Amino acid sequence: MIKVLVTGAAGRMGQESCRAVWRAQDMVLAGAVDTGRAGEKLGKVIGIEDIDITIYGDVETALKEVKPDIMVDFTNPDVVYRNVKLALENNVRPVVGTTGMSGEEINELRKLAEKNGLGGLVAPNFAIGALLMIKFAAMAAKYFPNVEIIELHHDQKMDAPSGTALKTAEAVAEVRGNLRQGLPTEYEKIEGVRGGEFEGMRIHSVRLPGYVAHQEVIFGGTGQTLTIRHDSISRESFMPGLLMGIRKVMDINELVYGLENLIFE
Ligand code: NAP
């Protein structure tokens, strides 16, 4: 049985993760951390009364007392690096869904995981459909180098663009390189209206209530466009990938960035 601790357990993704781990036959939900809900009963918070776990307010104490195999982190961009570092220092394998860590931070964590011989996963998106979207976008970029990305999320999301949009842009850039798109003399009448720039392509972030996580990758060619779209319409969409990630991380001894690197051949 894989012993799992969830940090950010009372948040939107954390609650869903606790329910998924609780239901998984090969896992034990061993502990939960959430700064805002310390001392409360997790079962009450997530609506499964059978769960007898009191929520910790501090990650380090939880890691030391629970001694899990895996720490699943769905907190926020300000605290995730520290949480993952603490996990690795305490011999616990991190499976991280929280977005917003920099490349340098991920590299530091990779080195620490290697030093301690621990597996780990940082996955900006656990939805298998979204990972396929990135794969298909990289395929299309070979034939359609002109592309713009529109990502749409709920309005409580802290970071922009989404980790998935960045990963898509990176995958496209790997195929087509840096390409200045559009009219060289274009100008913005409202600052930022053309979106953020990454290696010459534009990324647009929409934040509205009602959305969960959605993305369109639009390719433009001569006389045609190609749109690849993925929609996560509920947070359950992330759970099969999360459980797969947890199982895979038990069998590796390096920190991997992107679930696609563990599940696609
Ligand atoms: P959320 O609802 O705000 O949940 C975050 C929770 O973490 C809150 O309950 C927060 O408590 C708690 N928290 C903050 N600092 C903490 C700490 N140091 N230790 C333990 N708990 C802490 O956010 P969410 O919508 O679940 O999203 C969480 C992250 O997952 C975001 O970065 C989001 O972009 C990402 N995400 C990833 C995927 C994926 O597939 N990888 C999918 C969806 C979302 P307070 O409210 O008291 O601060």
Side-chain angles (χ1 to χ4, degrees), residues 8 11-13 34-36 74-75 97-99 123-126 157 238:
R12 288 170 289 245
M13 287 298 292
D34 200 288
T35 37
F74 278 109
T75 54
T98 312
T99 53
N125 202 319
F126 281 107
K157 184 167 172 56
F238 303 111

Side-chain angles (χ1 to χ4, degrees), residues 44 159 253:
K44 233 186 163 76
D159 54 325
N253 47 18

